[in-house]
Amino acid sequence: MNSDAVLLLETVNFAAEKHRNQRRKDPEATPYINHPIGVARILSHEGGVTDIEVLQAAVLHDTVEDTDTSLAELEAAFGPIVARIVEEVTDDKRLPKQERKRQQVEHAPLCSGQAKLVKLADKLYNLRDLIRSTPAGWTAERVQEYFVWAREVVRGLKGTNPALEEKLEELFRQRGVQL
Protein backbone atom coordinates (compact mmCIF):
# COMPACT_ATOMS: atom_id res chain seq x y z
CA MET A 1 0.00 0.00 0.00
CA ASN A 2 1.42 3.42 -0.89
CA SER A 3 2.17 5.94 1.84
CA ASP A 4 -0.70 8.30 0.88
CA ALA A 5 -3.20 5.46 1.24
CA VAL A 6 -1.76 4.58 4.65
CA LEU A 7 -1.94 8.24 5.75
CA LEU A 8 -5.52 8.56 4.59
CA LEU A 9 -6.59 5.37 6.35
CA GLU A 10 -4.94 6.56 9.58
CA THR A 11 -6.79 9.86 9.20
CA VAL A 12 -10.14 8.16 8.60
CA ASN A 13 -9.58 5.93 11.62
CA PHE A 14 -8.73 8.96 13.81
CA ALA A 15 -11.84 10.85 12.66
CA ALA A 16 -14.05 7.77 13.09
CA GLU A 17 -12.88 7.40 16.68
CA LYS A 18 -13.46 11.09 17.41
CA HIS A 19 -16.95 11.15 15.83
CA ARG A 20 -17.96 7.62 16.91
CA ASN A 21 -20.94 8.67 19.05
CA GLN A 22 -22.17 11.50 16.85
CA ARG A 23 -25.10 11.47 14.44
CA ARG A 24 -26.26 13.84 11.72
CA LYS A 25 -29.51 15.73 12.30
CA ASP A 26 -31.39 14.02 9.48
CA PRO A 27 -34.42 11.84 10.34
CA GLU A 28 -32.30 8.71 9.81
CA ALA A 29 -29.69 9.93 12.34
CA THR A 30 -26.93 9.03 9.88
CA PRO A 31 -23.55 8.33 11.51
CA TYR A 32 -21.66 11.64 11.54
CA ILE A 33 -18.47 10.13 10.10
CA ASN A 34 -20.29 9.72 6.78
CA HIS A 35 -20.10 13.52 6.40
CA PRO A 36 -16.30 14.09 6.57
CA ILE A 37 -15.66 10.96 4.50
CA GLY A 38 -18.19 12.24 1.96
CA VAL A 39 -16.48 15.66 1.85
CA ALA A 40 -13.13 13.98 1.09
CA ARG A 41 -14.79 11.81 -1.57
CA ILE A 42 -16.33 14.86 -3.26
CA LEU A 43 -12.88 16.45 -3.39
CA SER A 44 -11.22 13.41 -4.92
CA HIS A 45 -13.96 12.05 -7.18
CA GLU A 46 -15.69 15.22 -8.30
CA GLY A 47 -13.04 17.89 -7.77
CA GLY A 48 -10.05 15.88 -8.99
CA VAL A 49 -8.13 16.78 -5.83
CA THR A 50 -5.16 14.50 -5.10
CA ASP A 51 -3.37 16.62 -2.48
CA ILE A 52 -3.16 14.21 0.47
CA GLU A 53 -3.11 17.02 3.04
CA VAL A 54 -6.32 18.52 1.64
CA LEU A 55 -7.99 15.09 1.70
CA GLN A 56 -6.81 14.52 5.28
CA ALA A 57 -8.07 17.96 6.31
CA ALA A 58 -11.44 17.17 4.71
CA VAL A 59 -11.74 14.02 6.81
CA LEU A 60 -10.71 15.95 9.93
CA HIS A 61 -12.47 19.25 9.19
CA ASP A 62 -15.04 19.00 12.01
CA THR A 63 -12.92 17.31 14.68
CA VAL A 64 -11.78 20.49 16.45
CA GLU A 65 -15.19 22.13 16.13
CA ASP A 66 -17.33 19.16 17.18
CA THR A 67 -15.15 16.88 19.35
CA ASP A 68 -12.55 17.16 22.09
CA THR A 69 -9.73 17.30 19.51
CA SER A 70 -7.20 20.14 19.74
CA LEU A 71 -5.20 21.71 16.94
CA ALA A 72 -2.04 20.64 18.78
CA GLU A 73 -3.26 17.04 18.71
CA LEU A 74 -3.92 17.26 14.95
CA GLU A 75 -0.51 18.82 14.35
CA ALA A 76 1.23 16.08 16.35
CA ALA A 77 -0.64 13.33 14.50
CA PHE A 78 -0.87 14.76 10.97
CA GLY A 79 1.54 17.69 10.70
CA PRO A 80 1.31 21.48 10.59
CA ILE A 81 -0.24 21.81 7.13
CA VAL A 82 -3.21 19.56 7.90
CA ALA A 83 -3.69 21.31 11.25
CA ARG A 84 -3.58 24.74 9.57
CA ILE A 85 -6.18 23.77 6.97
CA VAL A 86 -8.49 22.40 9.68
CA GLU A 87 -7.97 25.56 11.73
CA GLU A 88 -8.96 27.71 8.73
CA VAL A 89 -12.28 25.89 8.30
CA THR A 90 -13.13 25.61 12.01
CA ASP A 91 -15.83 27.83 13.50
CA ASP A 92 -15.38 29.20 17.00
CA LYS A 93 -18.24 27.49 18.85
CA ARG A 94 -17.97 30.01 21.68
CA LEU A 95 -19.55 32.61 19.37
CA PRO A 96 -23.30 32.85 18.69
CA LYS A 97 -24.46 30.98 15.59
CA GLN A 98 -25.26 34.11 13.58
CA GLU A 99 -21.80 35.54 14.29
CA ARG A 100 -20.16 32.27 13.20
CA LYS A 101 -22.17 32.37 9.98
CA ARG A 102 -21.20 36.01 9.37
CA GLN A 103 -17.55 35.20 9.96
CA GLN A 104 -17.68 32.30 7.48
CA VAL A 105 -18.86 34.68 4.76
CA GLU A 106 -16.23 37.27 5.69
CA HIS A 107 -13.38 34.76 6.09
CA ALA A 108 -14.01 32.66 2.95
CA PRO A 109 -12.06 34.84 0.47
CA LEU A 110 -9.11 35.03 2.90
CA CYS A 111 -8.64 31.27 3.21
CA SER A 112 -5.76 29.38 1.62
CA GLY A 113 -6.51 27.51 -1.60
CA GLN A 114 -6.39 24.25 0.35
CA ALA A 115 -8.96 25.44 2.90
CA LYS A 116 -11.18 26.82 0.12
CA LEU A 117 -11.29 23.35 -1.43
CA VAL A 118 -12.46 21.82 1.84
CA LYS A 119 -15.07 24.55 2.29
CA LEU A 120 -16.42 24.07 -1.25
CA ALA A 121 -16.77 20.33 -0.79
CA ASP A 122 -18.30 20.77 2.67
CA LYS A 123 -20.93 23.17 1.34
CA LEU A 124 -21.67 20.86 -1.60
CA TYR A 125 -22.12 17.89 0.74
CA ASN A 126 -24.35 19.85 3.14
CA LEU A 127 -26.55 21.30 0.41
CA ARG A 128 -27.03 17.89 -1.21
CA ASP A 129 -27.83 16.45 2.22
CA LEU A 130 -30.49 19.14 2.79
CA ILE A 131 -32.11 18.20 -0.52
CA ARG A 132 -31.86 14.47 0.25
CA SER A 133 -33.24 14.65 3.77
CA THR A 134 -34.29 17.76 5.64
CA PRO A 135 -33.08 17.77 9.28
CA ALA A 136 -35.74 17.16 11.91
CA GLY A 137 -37.41 20.43 12.85
CA TRP A 138 -36.24 22.38 9.79
CA THR A 139 -38.89 24.23 7.78
CA ALA A 140 -38.71 24.77 4.02
CA GLU A 141 -37.93 28.42 4.81
CA ARG A 142 -34.95 27.48 6.99
CA VAL A 143 -33.58 25.22 4.24
CA GLN A 144 -33.89 28.08 1.73
CA GLU A 145 -32.16 30.46 4.16
CA TYR A 146 -29.29 27.98 4.43
CA PHE A 147 -28.97 27.95 0.63
CA VAL A 148 -28.90 31.77 0.53
CA TRP A 149 -26.24 31.89 3.26
CA ALA A 150 -24.18 29.12 1.61
CA ARG A 151 -24.24 31.10 -1.64
CA GLU A 152 -22.63 34.03 0.19
CA VAL A 153 -19.86 31.78 1.51
CA VAL A 154 -19.32 30.17 -1.91
CA ARG A 155 -19.01 33.60 -3.56
CA GLY A 156 -15.85 34.11 -1.51
CA LEU A 157 -14.46 30.78 -2.70
CA LYS A 158 -14.88 31.33 -6.45
CA GLY A 159 -11.92 30.59 -8.67
CA THR A 160 -10.79 27.62 -6.59
CA ASN A 161 -12.15 24.53 -8.37
CA PRO A 162 -14.35 24.97 -11.48
CA ALA A 163 -15.80 21.45 -11.27
CA LEU A 164 -17.04 21.85 -7.70
CA GLU A 165 -18.17 25.42 -8.31
CA GLU A 166 -20.28 24.33 -11.28
CA LYS A 167 -21.97 21.64 -9.17
CA LEU A 168 -22.73 24.24 -6.50
CA GLU A 169 -24.04 26.71 -9.07
CA GLU A 170 -26.39 24.02 -10.38
CA LEU A 171 -27.78 23.40 -6.88
CA PHE A 172 -28.25 27.14 -6.35
CA ARG A 173 -30.05 27.42 -9.72
CA GLN A 174 -32.35 24.55 -8.76
CA ARG A 175 -33.28 26.44 -5.59
CA GLY A 176 -33.70 29.79 -7.38
CA VAL A 177 -30.66 31.24 -5.59
CA GLN A 178 -28.40 33.16 -7.96
CA LEU A 179 -24.64 33.09 -7.44
Side-chain angles (χ1 to χ4, degrees), residues 9-97:
L9 286 172
E10 284 303 311
T11 307
V12 170
N13 185 66
F14 180 94
E17 283 298 315
K18 292 294 187 169
H19 292 294
R20 73 178 169 271
N21 296 320
Q22 295 176 323
R23 300 284 179 173
R24 295 284 280 179
K25 294 177 183 173
D26 58 1
E28 300 85 16
T30 307
Y32 194 86
I33 191 61
N34 291 11
H35 169 65
I37 292 170
V39 170
R41 188 175 189 283
I42 286 170
L43 283 168
S44 66
H45 284 68
E46 298 179 59
V49 174
T50 58
D51 180 334
I52 188 65
E53 290 160 325
V54 171
L55 297 174
Q56 286 179 282
V59 171
L60 298 167
H61 80 273
D62 280 335
T63 56
V64 172
E65 190 172 316
D66 293 338
T67 76
D68 63 357
T69 307
S70 70
L71 287 169
E73 184 179 3
L74 288 183
E75 185 168 347
F78 305 106
I81 295 171
V82 172
R84 176 197 38 87
I85 299 167
V86 172
E87 181 178 26
E88 285 187 80
V89 300
T90 297
D91 286 349
D92 183 347
K93 286 289 196 113
R94 297 170 299 183
L95 297 173
K97 185 176 184 175

Side-chain angles (χ1 to χ4, degrees), residues 42-167:
I42 286 170
L43 283 168
S44 66
H45 284 68
E46 298 179 59
V49 174
T50 58
D51 180 334
I52 188 65
E53 290 160 325
V54 171
L55 297 174
Q56 286 179 282
V59 171
L60 298 167
H61 80 273
D62 280 335
T63 56
V64 172
E65 190 172 316
D66 293 338
T67 76
D68 63 357
T69 307
S70 70
L71 287 169
E73 184 179 3
L74 288 183
E75 185 168 347
F78 305 106
I81 295 171
V82 172
R84 176 197 38 87
I85 299 167
V86 172
E87 181 178 26
E88 285 187 80
V89 300
T90 297
D91 286 349
D92 183 347
K93 286 289 196 113
R94 297 170 299 183
L95 297 173
K97 185 176 184 175
Q98 287 306 315
E99 177 60 16
R100 292 193 312 263
K101 291 177 82 170
R102 186 191 68 73
Q103 284 188 8
Q104 272 200 48
V105 172
E106 201 172 272
H107 184 63
L110 308 174
C111 287
S112 68
Q114 292 170 310
K116 285 180 178 181
L117 287 167
V118 174
K119 285 181 105 33
L120 281 170
D122 185 36
K123 291 294 176 262
L124 186 53
Y125 185 100
N126 285 336
L127 292 171
R128 286 174 173 167
D129 216 30
L130 279 175
I131 292 168
R132 180 191 65 79
S133 180
T134 304
W138 279 45
T139 63
E141 181 180 87
R142 184 170 177 192
V143 171
Q144 191 68 9
E145 287 171 2
Y146 186 92
F147 269 82
V148 170
W149 166 75
R151 174 202 60 204
E152 295 304 314
V153 176
V154 169
R155 276 187 180 148
L157 305 171
K158 289 196 65 79
T160 303
N161 184 295
L164 296 180
E165 291 167 38
E166 176 52 40
K167 291 172 188 299

